[in-house]
């Protein structure tokens, strides 16, 4: 499954995953042995490879000819791709999409091989032993397309509301892969209206962005309660024939900041969220559509209205589902808990910025995404770290001015970076890592932000809070790690945060228990992060009903 809707009617597109591929490990006792495996998948879900860290080769065949484009939605975490034995592209990071174009492929059957590598090394600054699992495999779909010399890379729609009507700014990015210049017409249709560009010339081996605007007076607004979606269809025409198309979805909605409030369509929103990793005991990080939909069913049943994609860009299909169901998304680039030393790795900054460059353009139209985040709990208490935060937040604004940005800090009264983001966000764990009363800790922290930092007057969010609870572990004295303690702690934490007048909302850490890296087990029982409201099998803990009762007692707006 590529998306929850068709993105092309003219361009030929075929998913190459969703079927059996051949898998062979490159290291270990089973090196060279061949397996038939379903894709997308992670090799940790294969019986012989539950703890394998190394390289593995995925192999399939397909029939095609002419200009082809191969798109890889996610390979964990380093990928080298070969077509008929020749390397055609390589990529770092499990959670972002990459693609390549191969020109003038001979008509016939071809062999596609993907070498995936989930090993840790100095070359990998973002995938490190961590409080979540770095899996290996072809974890998201692989797509084959046959394209013309001039084709559409993406379309962006930026809605804005003024004088009782909606305006849509249209940006259409095109590429010419031929050596010679070409001339064509382009057209974009939205909600019964269109913008047309005639006799557009594009140089050979060049890219260009076309811009236009359309005004609407009779469209419906995308809201949490009624998430109305519209299709935008772009086409390229030459000599009267349509040679390429691109279809995406968006919603007429506007996100803004007004003083200490985050606004959706002019209304101050209250975030009632959970942090969610892409993790499942059966599928690892390669959750199928039904598992994603089931997670969202649970999240909605809890009364939540938002998900934080901890700690990386999420699968497009999950974002599609959130668009369709009015769930607000905090999406962030990939980094969690990196020390100053980690951030000084020469690969860190270019790899972190590359995630942003790959995340925003392809996720731009999702109305569910209301904010971009970066660098969870990294070295924002250092001058060097501050330089990195500034570069990445600046890059976000270069790519998207329509949404606010933020980062989640855990630096208690030492953070140096709150002058940089639009929203100040903190991860706090009173009643878990220390026994301070939640109300006192929260107010002390907030007053420090207002009185001693450049974050004064900005919206304020709690982006992590919670306590550990082992499913089935209960006792009469409610000790830590029991379901009873977790439920009581969350009740106090949530009540204090949601009742704090200057706080825009809360994200509970976390939705479900998750596997963590064996190399980073810390003090985690079961080699799991056990702070989920449900366990890894999505079984409810005692805290579930507590969270549901509290979330349902607060509305979506302040």
């Amino acid at each position: 499954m590529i998306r929850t809707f068709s993105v092309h009617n003219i361009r030929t597109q075929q998913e190459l995953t969703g079927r059996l591929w051949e898998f062979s490990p490159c290291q270990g006792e089973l090196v060279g042995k061949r397996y038939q495996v379903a894709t997308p998948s992670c090799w940790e879900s294969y019986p012989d490879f539950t703890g394998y860290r190394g390289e593995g080769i995925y192999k399939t065949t397909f029939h095609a000819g002419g200009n082809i484009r191969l798109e890889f939605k996610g390979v964990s975490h380093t990928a080298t791709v070969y077509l008929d034995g020749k390397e055609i592209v390589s990529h770092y990071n499990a959670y972002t999409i990459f693609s390549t174009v191969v020109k003038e492929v001979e008509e016939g059957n071809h062999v596609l091989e993907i070498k995936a590598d989930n090993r840790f090394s100095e070359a990998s600054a973002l995938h490190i032993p961590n409080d979540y699992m770095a899996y290996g495999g072809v974890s998201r779909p692989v797509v084959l397309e046959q394209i013309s010399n001039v084709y559409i890379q993406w379309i962006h729609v930026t809605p804005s509301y003024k004088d009782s009507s909606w305006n849509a700014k249209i940006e259409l990015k095109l590429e010419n892969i031929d050596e010679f210049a070409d001339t064509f017409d382009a057209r974009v249709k939205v909600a019964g209206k269109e913008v047309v560009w005639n006799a557009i010339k594009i140089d050979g081996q060049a890219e260009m962005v076309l811009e236009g605007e359309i005004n609407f007076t009779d469209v419906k607004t995308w809201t949490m309660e009624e998430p109305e979606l519209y299709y935008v269809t772009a086409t390229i025409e030459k000599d009267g024939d349509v040679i390429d198309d691109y279809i995406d979805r968006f919603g007429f909605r506007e996100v803004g900041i007004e003083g200490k409030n985050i606004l959706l369509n002019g209304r101050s929103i209250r975030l009632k969220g959970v942090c969610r990793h892409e993790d499942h005991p059966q599928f690892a990080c390669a959750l199928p559509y039904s598992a994603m939909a089931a997670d969202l069913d649970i999240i909605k049943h809890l009364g939540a209205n938002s998900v934080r994609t901890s700690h990386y860009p999420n699968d497009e299909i999950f974002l599609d589902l959130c668009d369709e169901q009015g769930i607000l998304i905090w999406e962030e680039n990939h980094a969690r808990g990196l020390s100053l030393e980690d951030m000084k790795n020469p690969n860190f900054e270019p790899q972190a910025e590359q995630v942003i460059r790959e995340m925003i353009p392809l996720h731009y139209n999702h109305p569910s995404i209301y904010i971009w985040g970066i660098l969870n709990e990294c070295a924002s208490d250092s001058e060097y770290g501050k330089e990195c935060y500034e570069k990445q937040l600046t890059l976000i604004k270069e790519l998207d001015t329509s949404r606010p940005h933020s980062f989640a800090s855990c630096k208690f009264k030492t953070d140096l970076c709150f002058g940089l983001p639009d929203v100040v966000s903190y991860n706090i764990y009173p009643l878990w890592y220390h026994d301070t009363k939640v109300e006192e800790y929260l107010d002390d922290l907030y007053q420090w932000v207002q009185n001693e930092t450049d974050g004064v007057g900005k919206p304020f969010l709690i982006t992590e809070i919670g306590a550990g609870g082992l499913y089935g572990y209960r006792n009469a004295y409610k000790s830590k790690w029991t379901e009873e303690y977790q439920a009581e702690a969350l009740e106090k934490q949530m009540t204090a945060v949601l009742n704090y007048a200057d706080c825009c909302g809360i994200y509970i850490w976390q939705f479900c228990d998750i596997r963590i890296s064996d190399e980073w087990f810390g003090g985690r029982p079961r080699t799991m992060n056990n702070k989920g409201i449900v366990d890894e099998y999505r079984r409810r803990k005692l805290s579930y009903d507590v969270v549901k009762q509290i979330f349902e007692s607060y509305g979506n707006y302040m």
Side-chain angles (χ1 to χ4, degrees), residues 78-354:
T78 301
T80 309
V81 182
Y82 304 87
L83 180 63
D84 298 329
K86 180 182 178 181
E87 182 178 335
I88 55 173
V89 68
S90 61
H91 180 262
Y92 173 76
N93 205 282
Y95 307 112
T96 52
I97 298 170
F98 66 102
S99 64
T100 189
V101 171
V102 185
K103 296 169 56 178
E104 300 175 354
V105 173
E106 183 179 352
E107 184 76 30
N109 293 323
H110 299 277
V111 177
L112 179 67
E113 295 174 290
I114 304 172
K115 179 185 282 188
D117 184 353
N118 73 341
R119 295 175 297 181
F120 301 126
S121 71
E122 285 298 309
S124 171
L126 305 180
H127 286 276
I128 63 173
N130 220 317
D131 199 16
Y132 58 95
M133 183 63 178
Y135 293 104
V138 178
S139 55
R140 295 177 184 170
V142 176
V143 180
L144 167 68
E145 298 175 347
Q146 295 186 269
I147 59 172
S148 56
N149 286 336
V150 179
Y151 76 101
I152 301 167
Q153 286 193 10
W154 49 249
I155 183 169
H156 289 172
V157 182
T158 308
S160 58
Y161 190 76
K162 186 177 181 181
D163 298 330
S164 301
S165 65
W166 282 100
N167 184 75
K169 179 184 176 183
I170 308 294
E171 297 170 285
L172 183 65
K173 187 172 185 181
L174 311 170
E175 181 177 4
N176 182 4
I177 62 173
D178 197 14
E179 297 178 11
F180 305 102
D182 205 349
T183 303
F184 58 91
D185 300 330
R187 186 185 310 270
V188 170
K189 295 182 179 181
V190 183
K193 294 192 175 185
E194 66 179 24
V195 57
V196 178
W197 299 268
N198 291 315
I200 300 298
K201 182 179 179 181
I202 184 171
D203 293 334
Q205 297 182 338
E207 298 176 343
M208 69 184 309
V209 176
L210 303 177
E211 296 185 357
E213 290 191 6
I214 308 177
N215 188 261
F216 302 87
T217 56
D218 57 352
V219 293
K220 295 181 179 179
T221 301
W222 187 96
T223 66
M224 288 183 276
E225 298 77 19
E226 296 184 27
E228 188 75 25
L229 292 168
Y230 288 85
Y231 290 94
V232 52
T233 301
T235 55
I236 300 174
E237 302 171 16
K238 187 171 178 63
D239 300 327
D241 295 324
V242 178
I243 61 172
D244 193 33
D245 73 334
Y246 193 105
I247 303 166
D248 207 347
R249 288 191 319 197
F250 74 101
F252 286 96
R253 69 97 182 90
E254 195 170 33
V255 180
I257 300 290
E258 187 176 89
K260 297 182 179 182
N261 297 311
I262 303 172
L263 306 181
L264 177 66
N265 303 319
R267 299 183 68 183
S268 178
I269 54 175
R270 176 186 287 111
L271 282 309
K272 303 181 294 178
V274 294
C275 299
R276 174 186 175 272
H277 271 286
E278 292 181 327
D279 197 87
H280 193 283
Q282 183 175 355
F283 309 113
C285 70
L287 277 72
Y289 171 86
S290 58
M292 296 182 208
D295 279 358
L296 279 172
D297 284 344
I298 296 170
I299 289 167
K300 290 188 299 177
H301 186 256
L302 280 166
N305 63 14
S306 187
V307 175
R308 181 174 170 228
T309 67
S310 314
H311 295 293
Y312 38 77
N314 268 205
D315 192 307
E316 285 180 301
I317 295 170
F318 183 78
L319 299 177
D320 286 342
L321 286 166
C322 292
D323 292 342
E324 293 166 6
Q325 299 179 68
I327 303 295
L328 295 177
I329 293 294
W330 163 309
E331 187 166 51
E332 60 193 35
N333 77 339
H334 179 210
R336 182 254 165 220
L338 301 187
S339 66
L340 178 59
E341 181 181 0
D342 292 330
M343 293 176 72
K344 287 186 175 180
N345 180 325
N347 294 314
F348 164 72
E349 188 61 27
Q351 288 178 354
E353 290 187 16
Q354 186 63 26

Side-chain angles (χ1 to χ4, degrees), residues 487-508:
E488 286 196 1
L490 272 168
E491 181 177 20
K492 294 174 182 177
Q493 292 167 339
M494 294 177 66
T495 301
V497 173
L498 289 169
N499 284 341
Y500 198 80
D502 290 314
C503 185
C504 295
I506 186 173
Y507 287 90
I508 296 171

Side-chain angles (χ1 to χ4, degrees), residues 128-133 277 311 336 377 429 433 464 509-510 514-517 520-522 524 527-531:
I128 63 173
N130 220 317
D131 199 16
Y132 58 95
M133 183 63 178
H277 271 286
H311 295 293
R336 182 254 165 220
E377 295 185 353
Y429 288 90
Y433 294 123
E464 289 183 25
W509 186 268
Q510 60 181 328
I514 60 166
R515 183 177 173 182
I516 66 174
S517 299
W520 197 97
F521 67 92
R524 307 292 195 214
T527 320
M528 304 279 289
N529 188 309
N530 300 283
K531 295 188 181 73

